[in-house]
Amino acid sequence: MSVEHSTSTPPGASRHGLQTLVCSVILGLAACGLLTLQAQVTVFDFGDPGPDARFFPRMVLWLLILVAGLRLWRYRRTPDSALGAAAGWARALAAALLVTAAIAAMNTLGFVISVAAVGIVLAWLLGERRLRFSVLLPLLVALAIAWVARHGLHLPLP
Amino acid sequence: MSSLRHHLLWILAALLLAVSTSAWSDDYPARPITLVVPYGAGGTTDISARQLAKLAEPLLGQPVVVENRPGGGGVNAMRAVSRADADGYTLIATTSSPTFVTPALRRVGYDPLQDFLPLLNYSGPYHGVLVSADSPYHSLDALLAATQDGKRLSYATAGALSGARLAFTQLARETGAQLQHVPFNGASGATAALLGQHVDIALVPAYRDLVKDGQLRLLAVLDDQPDPDFPEVPTLEQAGYDIQFPSIVALMLPRGVAAERVETLRQAFTEAAASPAFAKVMTKLNQPVRVLPGPALAAVIEKNLHAYQRLAEALKR
Amino acid sequence: MLLDAFHALLDVWVLIAALCGVAIGIVIGAIPGLGPTLAIALLIPVTFTLSPIPAIILLLGVYQGAIFGGSISAILLNVPGTPSSAATALDGHAMARQGRAGEALRIALYASVFGNVFSCLVLILLAQPLASLALDFGPAQMTALMTFALAIIVLFGGGSMLDAALMTLVGVAAGIVGLDPIEGLPRFTFGSFAAEDGLALIPVLIGLFAMSEVLLQAFAGRQQGPAERGIDAVSSQTSSPRAVGWLSLWKMRVTLLISSAIGTFVGILPGIGSTVPAFVSYGLARSRSRHGARFGHGEPEGVAAPEAANNAVTGGALVPMLALGIPGDAVTAVILGAFMLQGLTPGPFLFQQHGVEVYAIFEALILLSIPCILLGLAMFRGAVHVIRIQPRHLFPIIAMLAIFGAFSVNNSLFDVAVMLGAGVVGCVLRRAGFPLPPLLIGLILGPPLEQSLRQALLTSSGSTAIFVHSPIVMGLAAVTLLCVLGAAYQRYRAARRERAA
């Protein structure tokens, strides 16, 4: 879990890489949180002493802004980890969208079909082309999970 | 539920119907009944509901499948059941808080009076007003009197939106007592806080052994009847305050189920709840059996929902 | 009494219950998303037909087995099966990648057993006094303790402290979503009912560690994934002599003792669970070790410390449950129900009325170590081969299990969506090189920290004197301060050595 500052990328090209991006996004989200705090947290007056429901979120969000800003400033000159290949992000995004689609379709298509579809497409995405492994294996696993869930664990799968 | 299996069961039921001549009037229940439990598997509500379901199965002639839908303090399950088909195949075993406490305080997405038909109340743990055994207060009156001259006492409850909290807020408003609410995660946390003397009072169920062991003292009961384990301890009403928090554990149906189906369910579950086998399990769980028919239960729910709604309105100002 | 209790254990049903319990527990624990709570709740109806002692042993076997089982998938796949084994993954998986999976598993097993036995002995000897000690920890004391835990994670978790602090705060901020713990009103739910339950721990865990791994694999595409490296080394190492495990265990005896003590102590306190002590022990072991720099890169002590701690929690958590009838977490709450159904009502009268049964159960808890070791070693032989499965076959299955595991927590699709969101966040953070464990700890400790802080201020009518007047709070504050100073000194010395070199 150590921070690996990527050294393989050429210096200069990675001045503003993934870490800077992540810190900026955190900074932005924390600021948004502070701005919507008033609207998103209603406070009833029960006459309680001590801090109200907005106190802790406000404190955490300010600390977050502080630390994210500090992080940006402290490592402003160290080489950042590179963004990585666009094709890689496209594949990861495709995988994420695939699961999103499966979640959306689960109530209509049912657990087995949507989850097996996730497995099949993922296997294909990871480079498996043999039918036996890319279609049959995920399908069997999905069926096995569904069977155990219904009969062993009594879970109401969609 | 797999739709394929449902279809098969329907076909099977239809075949049976066609074959047997006597079954015309009596085709309910024709498939397994789902009993939703709004809490996780393994809790008191879950265990007692499973036991009740098991005892009702032979009476109904169909399996009763318990389905846990935890989350949101029971509100999620209530919302789901309120939108389920009113065909008599979905029931919920619910408790006080998602029935008449939480709906009085915030938007929950269902109306406990309009969307549900109360079928039967079968349990409900007594909630007590407890103080530590070395506390100077020996009665509720003494405790309230002590707070009226400037002293502030804190009371622990099982959670932010508990009925016990509302009952005590109302008590504080009516008597001018200085009572400070401190919510915990569940009754066990509140009991531990009282045992460690971090709070002055706790409003919790499941106090019997700690009181009998002399670690805690029971001053009053929040329910509408005294606890049979401690008949000498008064309810809030007996102590002279027109406030109650009746604890219910009840079966409810979505509104709109045909009357004869309701009657079939009512008979089967009432018989199961009154059986000695059910009483035996409930004794082990340290839970009372409190059978209350649907109309009486509906009255309890309606009365308290309105009372809490009025209180919430007053508090929001 | 102890002898009578031992006689009660000489029963074939006790043996069967112990074996079944531990085996079920290890399997359930190894599957991400399924935890001991679900398994125990489902087994309760089975226990109706058993007599009290085998029934309870079955359930406690599941509990012990599940906590250990989580570390198998953590070590082999870098996918912790239960939250508490997330700390084990740090060094355990690093060892597996170096081809030392067998050694890592064995150390995890022995450390788990050590933690178990330690906490059970404490339970037998000190149940009553420890239960009253637990009661001394009210809201103010819990606030101080949780602050201390957060400080340890940030200071000694490894890597940059600034990064760890940032991730912890992200976790705490994520924990705010949902219902406010004091007023019960929604915060940052944007009007959604489903969001009122907040970001549940298990879906977030599965997302951060399992789903993000799948997405990273998708990112890497058809290239050889990390799991494929070092296969040959694994197969040659799996049959390494058993003595290696015992010897390295003896070398880390102090770490094991400290970690077990931390686990037992935190287990006694309500509401913290076994993940936090695992990470705290890891941090402390790292700060104490002479080769702290090796932590995170396959240091056996980094596997032993969290495993001893999270298993020691089981014994600790039983203390208030049995002595007072007050369960500290979801698992013990379910076990409490099982005790009551067997007619053994936990609480002040349990030891007086059912002494023999209770001591039999305690002794069985210690003896459960034997099936634990035997079954564990037997399962390793099969389990290490998981590493050889091609990533393109393995990761689709992990994705499917992740979806199922997230769903099974609350039977809700919202949790699956949370899992996916956490997966995307985890994937980006891992690529950027940010550490994920502090985020997990922040999410776990954030809500109870806020609740305790506000509870303390409610009981004291808003005065901060409640913190100053408690010796426990002041003691914990002093220890926290010492840790900060210690970390600063370590940094200073390391920086000077670097300059000198």
Side-chain angles (χ1 to χ4, degrees), chain C residues 422-438:
Chain C
V424 173
V425 170
C427 172
V428 173
L429 290 178
R430 275 164 103 161
R431 274 211 67 88
F434 284 103
L436 292 183

Side-chain angles (χ1 to χ4, degrees), chain B residues 1-296:
Chain B
M1 289 291 144
S2 84
S3 53
L4 185 70
R5 224 175 56 197
H6 276 180
H7 285 305
L8 278 176
L9 280 167
W10 274 115
I11 293 165
L12 203 70
L15 276 175
L16 275 175
L17 215 68
V19 170
S20 73
T21 43
S22 64
W24 283 111
S25 59
D26 204 20
D27 59 339
Y28 172 83
R31 57 186 169 96
I33 293 172
T34 305
L35 174 58
V36 177
V37 169
Y39 303 99
T44 335
T45 315
D46 174 66
I47 297 175
S48 59
R50 278 175 196 276
Q51 192 62 28
L52 194 66
K54 209 174 84 187
L55 292 168
E57 273 176 6
L59 303 170
L60 288 165
Q62 283 288 345
V64 180
V65 183
V66 172
E67 186 181 308
N68 297 93
R69 268 179 177 268
V75 169
N76 294 357
M78 288 287 277
R79 197 182 307 121
V81 171
S82 75
R83 289 168 195 175
D85 292 337
D87 53 5
Y89 288 103
T90 309
L91 286 142
I92 186 165
T94 188
T95 62
S96 313
S97 115
T99 314
F100 56 81
V101 181
T102 320
L105 291 171
R106 62 180 174 90
R107 214 164 53 90
V108 287
Y110 58 87
D111 182 334
L113 302 178
Q114 299 300 315
D115 297 347
F116 288 95
L117 177 76
L119 188 70
L120 163 80
N121 185 73
Y122 62 91
S123 181
Y126 293 89
H127 283 65
V129 180
L130 295 139
V131 293
S132 169
D134 21 303
S135 143
Y137 312 113
H138 286 265
S139 73
L140 193 60
D141 286 328
L143 185 138
L144 291 175
T147 67
Q148 269 146 3
D149 25 86
K151 196 170 157 55
R152 207 177 169 94
L153 293 181
S154 55
Y155 65 96
T157 67
L161 297 177
S162 59
R165 183 247 179 110
L166 287 180
F168 244 50
T169 310
Q170 203 179 348
L171 184 69
R173 286 168 65 86
E174 283 183 11
T175 59
Q178 296 278 312
L179 294 169
Q180 175 58 53
H181 177 235
V182 186
F184 283 81
N185 267 343
S188 49
T191 314
L194 180 64
L195 285 169
Q197 310 204 347
H198 304 287
V199 291
D200 302 304
I201 309 158
L203 311 179
V204 287
Y207 45 74
R208 189 187 65 196
D209 284 1
L210 289 168
V211 172
K212 288 201 167 152
D213 189 42
Q215 298 190 39
L216 296 180
R217 189 183 302 138
L218 181 63
L219 296 186
V221 176
L222 295 179
D223 276 75
D224 43 1
Q225 306 151 20
D227 183 349
D229 283 329
F230 300 95
E232 72 285 358
V233 176
T235 64
L236 283 185
E237 274 166 340
Q238 287 168 345
Y241 308 97
D242 183 23
I243 296 161
Q244 49 163 281
F245 166 58
S247 173
I248 65 164
V249 179
L251 295 177
M252 311 236 278
L253 287 162
R255 276 260 183 222
V257 179
E260 60 267 35
R261 294 190 172 188
V262 175
E263 188 51 31
T264 310
L265 289 171
R266 195 191 61 76
Q267 272 177 5
F269 280 104
T270 310
E271 197 181 326
S275 69
F278 187 64
K280 207 176 129 204
V281 171
M282 295 301 269
T283 314
K284 277 188 182 169
L285 286 173
N286 199 357
Q287 298 288 317
V289 177
R290 299 164 80 179
V291 178
L292 200 64

Side-chain angles (χ1 to χ4, degrees), chain A residues 1 3 19 40 46 48 51 53 56 64 71 75 81 88-89 91 99-100 122 128-130 133 138 153 155-156, chain C residues 42 157 160 163 169 183 186-188 190 211 218-219 221-222 392-393 399-400 404 411 413 420 432 450 457:
Chain A
M1 55 176 272
V3 187
Q19 294 185 352
Q40 282 297 318
F46 281 82
D48 290 340
F56 192 75
L64 203 53
R71 173 78 176 63
Y75 290 104
S81 45
W89 284 114
R91 269 194 301 269
V99 181
T100 315
L122 260 182
E128 180 58 68
R129 292 292 180 273
R130 278 169 298 172
F133 286 109
L153 306 173
L155 292 174
Chain C
L42 287 167
S160 146
D163 284 358
L169 282 169
E183 302 297 353
R187 293 195 296 192
F188 293 104
F190 298 91
M211 202 64 207
F219 188 98
R222 276 179 237 181
R392 59 179 189 272
H393 302 153
M400 292 154 82
F404 164 66
N411 303 338
L413 283 177
L420 179 64
E450 179 189 9
L457 290 173

